[in-house]
């Protein structure tokens, strides 16, 4: 019996070492282990959010460390104002991770896939002005627009898909979304769902092979667990919460990066829900009931700013609009003017309805949950029965409200047109305002700052009259990592979820 057990033990050890050896073979050389949230699919044409897209895919254009547009797959382009057409010249010799050439045909396929309504792309509204894509030859592609749209160069940073792998297939369900192939600085080696995504440097990347040989996206959804694994050495680099920041500032061998973002949080009211479809005027009243300063101080520990506009962090901000500063007495007054009366239980009622709703949150973001709890407490003190609901799956159609996050450091069209435009791809709360639609449509079709500024300022003014959200705060992105990592640009203004940190990953090094 002992001999059998010994044999089993030896066999187990052999298998273990074999497996470990296989993993090491996948990650020979320098390796960066990054603490990441989970992915169910990776496809930049379908899904906007995903830090990993910057590593795996290459766009016609790219953003530099100051968020300016620079050439990427396209070495140059020309704009024909009379024909509303961009003509791009691609770099010669570009290849995908599988060795196949990247050509104008792939650009055409990608844009048409985004525009195809059957694919339900979150980015479709960014490309709705595109009326035609013409392949002139392998290295030249013409993109015709219905009207000028200066944001198009920002949107063409989107990763180019390989047509030879996807033509004739269902893009939404194809296995490509679990085995993505791009032309970015890193290529996929393996993906253990819910555990890790292993990437290897792409030697044929157009800027040359990256300095770091391997990047592992280790899936650690919980922010507290991520901080613990960073401290224990299981992770090399991760985004952390403000509460964890102080610890890493004091730890030897670590460096903390506090980076500005255009990333805001707010309560998104769902005008398709039974409650807010009946009382759409409430967001403008409720917004006086949230103590934003307390949230910045206690949840963000000062690492953020109170929010009042989706364009607050850019040159199109309108600082003169109503900011809905905390005023619980005014909130009560406006509720009562709107016909709400306090019941014996201390909550407001109207037409037999209690003023009650849920603020929904995903499970993984403790900062949002903490914000929601303070908002709910503020509301209950006024007489509004608000509770926080942490959900495994988000019901965009019927939920009352959601602690949402948006924001872009790029063109003002980004994260406005598709978020607040009626029926657009990221308008998750069924918000509809004809004047907002008109202003955003006009603004995206003008070329100069001077022409666009009054339209975006009026757009922000109109939002205050018909609020889709209670804007709460802009949050700083706080990253921590081992001090052996070099190349991170601390002054880059990041986007939603801190996306943009990897814009120059190919230049990073590890001692």
């Amino acid at each position: 019996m002992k001999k059998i057990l010994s044999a089993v033990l030896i066999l187990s050890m052999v298998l273990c070492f074999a497996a470990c050896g296989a993993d090491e073979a996948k990650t020979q050389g320098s390796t960066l282990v990054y603490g990441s949230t989970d992915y169910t699919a990776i496809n930049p044409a379908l899904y906007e959010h995903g830090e990993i897209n910057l590593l795996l895919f290459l766009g016609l254009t790219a953003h530099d460390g100051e968020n300016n547009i620079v050439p990427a797959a396209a070495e140059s382009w020309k704009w024909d104002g009379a024909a509303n057409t961009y003509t791009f010249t691609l770099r010669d010799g570009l290849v995908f991770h599988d060795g196949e050439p990247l050509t104008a045909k792939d650009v055409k396929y990608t844009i048409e896939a985004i525009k195809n309504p059957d694919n339900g792309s979150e980015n479709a509204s960014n490309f709705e002005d595109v009326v035609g894509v013409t392949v002139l030859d392998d290295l030249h592609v013409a993109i015709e627009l219905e009207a000028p749209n200066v944001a198009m160069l920002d949107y063409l940073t989107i990763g180019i898909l390989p047509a030879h792998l996807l033509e004739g297939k269902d893009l939404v369900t194809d296995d490509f979304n679990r085995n993505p192939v791009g032309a970015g600085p890193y290529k996929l080696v393996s993906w253990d769902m819910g555990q890790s995504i292993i990437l290897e440097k792409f030697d044929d990347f157009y800027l040359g092979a990256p300095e770091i040989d391997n990047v592992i996206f280790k899936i650690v959804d919980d922010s507290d667990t991520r901080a613990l694994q960073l401290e224990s050495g299981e992770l090399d680099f991760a985004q952390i919460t403000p509460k964890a920041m102080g610890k890493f500032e004091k730890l030897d061998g670590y460096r903390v990066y506090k980076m500005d973002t255009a990333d805001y949080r707010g309560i998104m009211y769902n005008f398709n829900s039974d409650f807010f479809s009946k009382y759409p005027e409430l967001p403008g009243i409720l917004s006086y009931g949230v103590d934003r300063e307390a949230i910045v101080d206690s949840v963000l520990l000062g690492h953020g700013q109170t929010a009042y506009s989706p364009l607050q962090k850019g040159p199109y901000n309108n600082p003169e609009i109503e900011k809905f500063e905390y005023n619980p007495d005014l909130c009560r007054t406006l509720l009562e003017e709107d016909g709400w009366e306090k019941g014996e239980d201390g909550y407001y009622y109207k037409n037999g309805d209690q003023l009650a709703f849920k603020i929904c949150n995903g499970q993984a973001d403790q900062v949002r949950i903490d914000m929601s709890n303070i908002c709910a407490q503020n509301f209950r003190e006024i007489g509004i029965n608000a509770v926080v609901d942490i959900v495994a799956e988000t019901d965009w159609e019927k939920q009352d409200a959601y602690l949402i996050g948006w924001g872009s450091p790029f063109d003002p069209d980004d994260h406005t047109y598709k978020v607040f435009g009626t029926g657009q791809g990221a308008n998750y709360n069924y918000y509809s305002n004809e004047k907002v639609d008109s202003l955003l449509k006009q603004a995206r079709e003008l070329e100069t700052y001077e022409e666009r500024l009054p339209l975006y300022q009026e757009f922000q003014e109109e939002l205050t009259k018909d609020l889709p959200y209670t804007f709460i705060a802009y949050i700083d992105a706080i990253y921590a990592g081992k001090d052996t990592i070099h190349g991170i640009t601390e002054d880059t203004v990041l986007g939603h979820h801190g996306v943009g940190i990897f814009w120059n990953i190919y230049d990073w090094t590890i001692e």
Side-chain angles (χ1 to χ4, degrees), residues 65-272:
E66 296 178 346
N67 291 321
N68 298 313
I69 291 292
V70 295
E75 63 181 13
S76 64
W77 55 85
K78 296 178 181 178
W79 168 249
D80 181 347
N84 287 331
T85 298
Y86 282 105
T87 301
F88 291 86
T89 299
L90 276 64
R91 299 177 190 275
D92 195 8
L94 291 174
V95 294
F96 287 105
H97 297 153
D98 62 359
E100 292 295 316
L102 187 160
T103 71
K105 178 181 178 182
D106 301 297
V107 176
K108 177 180 173 68
Y109 171 81
T110 301
I111 295 174
E112 290 180 349
I114 293 169
K115 289 179 62 65
N116 184 345
D118 292 340
N119 292 331
S121 171
E122 294 178 350
N123 301 300
S125 56
N126 292 347
F127 291 87
E128 70 173 33
D129 283 344
V130 175
V131 295
V133 182
T134 304
V135 173
L136 304 177
D137 57 44
D138 282 352
L139 297 182
H140 295 87
V141 60
I143 301 175
E144 182 186 355
L145 307 181
E146 181 180 15
N149 183 347
V150 294
M152 187 55 60
L153 292 175
D154 279 289
Y155 297 147
L156 289 170
T157 61
I158 200 160
I160 299 168
L161 301 181
H164 67 278
L165 294 179
L166 291 166
E167 279 185 322
K169 297 181 179 179
D170 184 337
L171 185 61
V172 177
T173 61
D174 193 75
D175 190 56
F176 177 89
N177 299 313
R178 303 292 179 91
N179 294 280
V181 174
Y186 286 87
K187 58 185 179 181
L188 182 75
V189 173
S190 66
W191 184 352
D192 184 2
M193 296 296 294
Q195 300 298 317
S196 65
I197 304 172
I198 298 178
L199 310 178
E200 179 182 80
K201 68 179 181 180
F202 181 42
D203 290 332
D204 292 326
F205 182 55
Y206 82 100
L207 292 174
E211 297 291 333
I212 298 174
D213 296 302
N214 308 281
V215 177
I216 299 176
F217 275 56
K218 188 172 187 291
I219 307 304
V220 189
D221 276 326
D222 182 75
S223 53
D224 292 335
T225 303
R226 202 178 306 142
L228 289 172
Q229 292 194 11
L230 184 62
E231 184 180 3
S232 70
E234 296 173 71
L235 302 175
D236 299 317
F237 189 65
Q239 189 172 6
I240 59 174
T241 65
K243 291 178 181 177
M245 177 179 175
K247 175 191 291 185
F248 287 98
E249 286 180 319
K250 298 172 185 176
L251 282 177
D252 290 338
Y254 290 88
R255 184 172 178 182
V256 171
Y257 303 85
K258 177 177 171 289
M259 302 181 71
D260 194 13
T261 78
D263 188 16
Y264 65 83
R265 299 289 178 267
I267 300 173
M268 179 188 74
Y269 303 97
N270 181 16
F271 300 104
N272 191 60

Side-chain angles (χ1 to χ4, degrees), residues 279-506:
Y279 302 109
E281 75 283 0
L282 279 177
I285 299 173
L286 299 177
S287 291
Y288 288 107
V290 172
D291 191 344
R292 296 164 181 79
E293 292 285 357
I295 289 173
V296 170
D297 291 343
S298 63
V299 178
L300 302 180
L301 302 183
H303 300 300
Q305 305 82 38
T306 58
Y308 56 83
S309 162
L311 295 178
Q312 191 172 328
K313 286 299 196 76
Y316 290 86
N317 181 45
N318 185 349
E320 304 303 320
I321 61 173
E322 174 61 42
K323 297 181 175 63
F324 296 91
E325 295 174 353
Y326 183 49
N327 190 335
D329 289 336
L330 178 58
C331 184
R332 292 186 187 95
T333 298
L334 292 175
L335 284 173
E336 290 164 11
E337 289 177 355
D338 193 46
W340 295 88
E341 297 179 351
K342 276 250 181 113
E344 293 181 0
D345 58 3
Y347 293 119
Y348 280 102
Y349 288 82
K350 181 179 178 179
N351 300 326
D353 295 327
Q354 187 186 69
L355 208 175
F357 60 93
K358 294 179 179 179
I359 306 172
C360 295
N361 287 258
Q363 297 174 318
D365 193 328
Q366 190 59 47
V367 169
R368 295 197 201 198
I369 294 169
D370 291 345
M371 285 183 171
S372 296
N373 282 323
I374 291 179
C375 291
Q377 179 182 342
N378 290 160
F379 286 144
R380 287 195 297 272
E381 289 170 354
I382 291 169
I384 302 158
N385 189 9
V387 296
V388 176
D389 191 16
I390 301 172
V391 297
E393 294 185 8
T394 303
D395 181 2
W396 297 113
E397 186 176 359
K398 289 298 182 183
Q399 65 187 355
D400 293 328
Y402 190 85
L403 207 295
I404 198 74
W406 285 120
S408 169
F410 309 129
D411 190 272
D413 186 77
D414 193 20
H415 284 210
T416 55
Y417 188 85
K418 71 179 179 183
V419 172
F420 302 109
T422 301
Q424 298 299 341
N427 185 338
Y428 295 134
N429 64 329
Y430 297 82
Y431 179 73
S432 183
N433 180 308
E434 289 184 5
K435 187 171 183 180
V436 165
D437 293 343
S438 175
L439 290 166
L440 291 176
K441 179 70 171 174
Q442 293 176 65
R444 71 175 356 206
E445 294 179 357
L446 297 173
E447 297 186 42
T448 69
Y449 171 79
E450 290 74 19
E451 291 174 308
R452 303 174 87 200
L453 178 62
L455 294 170
Y456 281 117
Q457 296 217 328
E458 189 177 356
F459 153 70
Q460 293 167 80
E461 179 70 34
E462 183 62 25
L463 282 190
T464 67
K465 301 173 184 176
D466 181 25
L467 272 180
Y469 302 166
T470 290
F471 295 99
I472 298 173
Y474 281 84
I475 64 174
D476 298 333
I478 302 171
Y479 287 89
K482 295 178 180 177
D483 61 10
T484 53
I485 303 169
H486 303 285
I488 300 167
T489 56
E490 295 184 70
D491 294 332
T492 300
V493 179
L494 303 181
H496 187 36
H497 294 311
V499 169
I501 188 76
F502 291 122
W503 77 269
N504 66 334
I505 181 69
Y506 43 82

